[in-house]
């Protein structure tokens, strides 16, 4: 996978350990996210993914658990043909505390996966299956909602 640094003063994103699925991405700017607020943040990189793969931008679990930092459209989709800067739509899900992000912080992770690219073919009927049209909890086993 090819990576171009649009912001050469940031380190090259790498896997923290060999075998890690995610490549950590850096914030290119400082920002403060008030509770419930979101902001698009640059990562200072552009990538060239192989055709037949997709880049997925996932939150980092440590920041999620410690601060409530997440990504609005998690996982973000990076199309193989996209050559612009990868940006991350961060959101502060903590109800009370602001989150301060400093340029150079690792804010998200990029995971590259193979993806099927089937042609879209319109049909009048679909084949029968055991599930049929049952969904949205039709198989049971879901939690019971309680008031308050
Ligand atoms: O978290 C993300 C998600 C997307 N992108 C870039 C790469 C992706 O290839 C492009 C388009 O993303 P998507 O298809 O999810 O957005 P859209 O709203 O459908 O835009 P478009 O009309 O450009 O496809 O935006 C990012 O940089 N970060
Ligand atoms: Mg799109």
């Amino acid at each position: 996978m090819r990576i171009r640094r649009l912001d050469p003063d940031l380190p090259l994103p790498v896997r923290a350990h060999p075998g890690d699925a995610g490549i950590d991405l850096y914030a290119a700017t400082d920002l403060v996210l008030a509770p419930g607020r979101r902001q698009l943040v640059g990562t200072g990189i552009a990538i060239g993914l192989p055709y037949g793969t997709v880049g997925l931008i996932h939150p980092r679990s440590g920041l999620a658990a410690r601060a409530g930092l997440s990504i609005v459209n998690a996982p973000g989709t990076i199309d193989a043909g996209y050559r612009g800067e990868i940006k991350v739509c961060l959101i502060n899900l903590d109800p009370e505390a602001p989150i301060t992000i400093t340029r150079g912080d690792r804010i998200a992770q990029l995971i590259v996966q193979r993806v099927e690219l089937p042609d879209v073919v319109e049909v009048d009927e679909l084949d029968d299956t055991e599930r049929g049209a049952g969904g949205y909890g039709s198989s049971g086993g879901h939690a019971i909602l309680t008031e308050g």
Side-chain angles (χ1 to χ4, degrees):
M1 183 192 120
R2 295 155 293 152
I3 297 193
R4 204 177 137 225
R5 266 191 283 182
L6 308 171
D7 187 336
D9 294 331
L10 287 174
L12 185 71
V14 289
R15 294 184 173 80
H17 308 101
D20 281 2
I23 297 169
D24 289 338
L25 303 181
Y26 299 98
T29 52
D30 297 334
L31 68 142
V32 177
L33 279 177
R37 306 303 296 203
R38 66 177 186 272
Q39 194 170 318
L40 202 55
V41 186
T43 63
I45 60 157
I47 63 175
L49 289 171
Y51 186 87
T53 68
V54 61
L56 299 174
I57 307 293
H58 285 261
R60 295 186 66 211
S61 57
L63 283 170
R66 265 188 283 116
L69 186 69
S70 193
I71 296 173
V72 174
N73 56 322
T77 304
I78 309 300
D79 298 293
Y82 180 67
R83 296 291 176 267
E85 182 181 14
I86 294 184
K87 295 181 181 174
V88 183
C89 192
L90 292 175
I91 184 162
N92 179 359
L93 295 180
D94 190 277
E96 282 136 27
I99 300 175
T100 300
I101 288 162
T102 306
R103 174 179 155 82
D105 285 351
R106 289 176 292 148
I107 48 162
Q109 54 185 324
L110 168 69
I111 293 169
V112 179
Q113 293 188 334
R114 281 200 200 95
V115 68
E116 300 295 332
L117 301 171
D119 290 333
V120 176
V121 179
E122 189 181 22
V123 294
D124 293 328
E125 298 285 340
L126 296 170
D127 56 317
D128 286 331
T129 65
E130 191 178 310
R131 173 176 282 276
Y136 304 94
S138 68
S139 68
H142 43 77
I144 294 169
L145 297 175
T146 48
E147 294 293 316

